[in-house]
Amino acid sequence: MSWEKNVRKVTPYVAGEQPRGKVIKLNTNEFPYAPSPMVATKIYDLAQEELDGSSSMLRKYPDMDATKLVNAVVSVYNELYFRDDKAGSGLGFDNVFIGVGSDDVLAMAFMTFFNSGKPVLFPDITYSFYDVWADVHRIPYATQALTGDFSIDVNDYLNKENGGIVIPNPNAPTGVYEDPSMFEEIVRANPDSVVIIDEAYVDFGGESCLPLINKYDNVLVVQTFSKSRALAGLRIGAAFGNEKLIKYLKDVKFAFNSYTMNYPAIELATVSVLDTDYWKDTVARVIKTREWTKEKLRELGFEFRNSKANFIFASHKSMPAREIFEKLREKDIYVRHWNKPRIDNHLRISIGTDEEMKELISTLLTILKDENPE
Ligand SMILES: *Cc1c(COP(=O)(O)O)cnc(C)c1O
């Protein structure tokens, strides 16, 4: 067809499978526990208000700025991240951008900040959406190889001409966490670029780089409600940065669609972020399960870097990852495997409930025994 030459052709991002029914799903890093019970209560209250007509919000356009949610985030995050920050002035309303999941936030940030024509830098092994966004927005990029043990070599990001930098901390799918001081070095060395730190997994044991936003005007910290807040289905993400960065992000967002955040999502994310106790308790449970799982996997002959995320990226001493992946799948246990150079002998295993991880470990035991009968 002759119009086809004018099509913007892209290779889309490939997400992990979403099998339905009774399976053990450890392939897309979803949180294993329900979100705060306040969220379900709020759904009920919103439905009640619609029904009795006391407030028919669905009829109206939502608040473009998601003011209620941003205010909640500002008050909670100032307590969590800026209490001991002597240098900074904390977080204000104009330091926060809310989007439809951090995928939306990141896509907007690529479009807003990476326009120099110079290559954007990110690790060769990382979130596999970065090259997709670069391609769809026609941004050149240059991947920087992680070291043999999947660490970031800071020198790759210090003296290279670039049009921007994006790195997750902890990195995905490796789970490897780097200290905020390394990111500060990168931010300081690149005043002409925006440095994006993707903190999708930082709540599972890492320290956030958020305080850097008060010290540097070229750093954007991105977080999500999909992992530690158990709201992947609601689609809520956030970016934090200097007022000017946030203003530019909003301008681009409002140039596409002023009403990206729907009214129920704003209301539900607000009650979620305010329930700090529930969030802390459930995250601590996942961390405990992760540490138990590490121990058991090691006993079974798996090797992995220490993960500070809600997943473990492991390879087995003798059985190929692809084979384990397929055998687990036959038993309705889904983990993630990529046919990609350097990582094709690894499995990314999300942390589920204690029961799910016990089932995983006993199934792995059977699979590995069948291979090596005594
Ligand atoms: C899961 C994930 C995201 C995006 O999650 P959303 O559901 O879109 O908020 C972003 N970055 C990384 C590294 C992730 O793993």
Side-chain angles (χ1 to χ4, degrees), residues 34-226:
S36 159
M38 311 266 212
V39 175
T41 306
K42 190 74 187 177
I43 292 175
Y44 185 84
D45 290 346
L46 294 177
Q48 204 56 54
E49 285 167 21
E50 289 292 328
L51 278 171
D52 66 23
S54 61
S55 144
S56 181
M57 297 300 284
L58 292 177
R59 195 169 55 78
K60 298 178 187 161
Y61 281 109
D63 170 21
M64 289 166 62
D65 292 303
T67 306
K68 198 167 181 178
L69 175 55
V70 174
N71 282 335
V73 166
V74 166
S75 71
V76 170
Y77 277 48
N78 272 324
E79 264 306 294
L80 287 172
Y81 299 104
F82 294 90
R83 205 165 31 173
D84 308 320
D85 187 31
K86 290 160 214 81
S89 46
L91 204 61
F93 189 88
D94 296 327
N95 298 119
V96 185
F97 175 90
I98 298 287
V100 187
S102 58
D103 286 342
D104 177 53
V105 174
L106 287 160
M108 293 280 164
F110 270 54
M111 203 180 344
T112 309
F113 301 117
F114 297 164
N115 295 295
S116 68
K118 294 176 196 162
V120 167
L121 310 181
F122 48 84
D124 63 337
I125 302 167
T126 194
Y127 189 34
S128 48
F129 227 139
Y130 298 156
D131 56 356
V132 175
W133 287 316
D135 284 337
V136 75
H137 296 308
R138 300 180 178 160
I139 299 163
Y141 62 92
T143 58
Q144 307 297 306
L146 296 180
T147 64
D149 71 351
F150 296 152
S151 294
I152 286 167
D153 180 351
V154 70
N155 295 306
D156 289 340
Y157 301 92
L158 296 184
N159 299 305
K160 248 172 227 165
E161 235 204 332
N162 67 77
I165 293 171
V166 54
I167 305 175
N169 196 37
N171 196 4
T174 64
V176 176
Y177 165 79
E178 311 279 356
D179 196 80
S181 59
M182 188 203 78
F183 288 93
E184 180 159 11
E185 206 181 339
I186 294 173
V187 170
R188 208 186 309 123
N190 291 280
D192 295 340
S193 302
V194 172
V195 177
I196 301 178
I197 306 167
D198 181 352
E199 294 191 333
Y201 302 104
V202 78
D203 298 331
F204 298 100
E207 194 189 322
S208 175
C209 288
L210 268 169
L212 294 183
I213 70 161
N214 284 152
K215 269 175 98 175
Y216 302 94
D217 58 17
N218 63 323
V219 59
L220 192 76
V221 176
V222 176
Q223 293 195 358
T224 176
F225 282 44
S226 298

Side-chain angles (χ1 to χ4, degrees), residues 265-319:
I266 294 169
E267 293 288 330
L268 301 178
T270 300
V271 294
S272 160
V273 77
L274 291 173
D275 195 354
T276 310
D277 288 343
Y278 179 89
W279 168 72
K280 281 189 176 160
D281 289 349
T282 51
V283 166
R285 273 169 82 182
V286 171
I287 291 173
K288 196 162 165 233
T289 308
R290 177 188 70 204
E291 296 309 309
W292 178 88
T293 308
K294 283 179 186 171
E295 222 171 277
K296 295 293 159 185
L297 286 176
R298 243 179 241 122
E299 286 169 22
L300 287 172
F302 283 92
E303 292 166 334
F304 44 87
R305 278 292 305 271
N306 189 33
S307 167
K308 288 220 177 175
N310 66 337
F311 56 82
I312 298 167
F313 195 55
S315 64
H316 192 261
K317 276 191 263 193
S318 52
M319 192 181 278

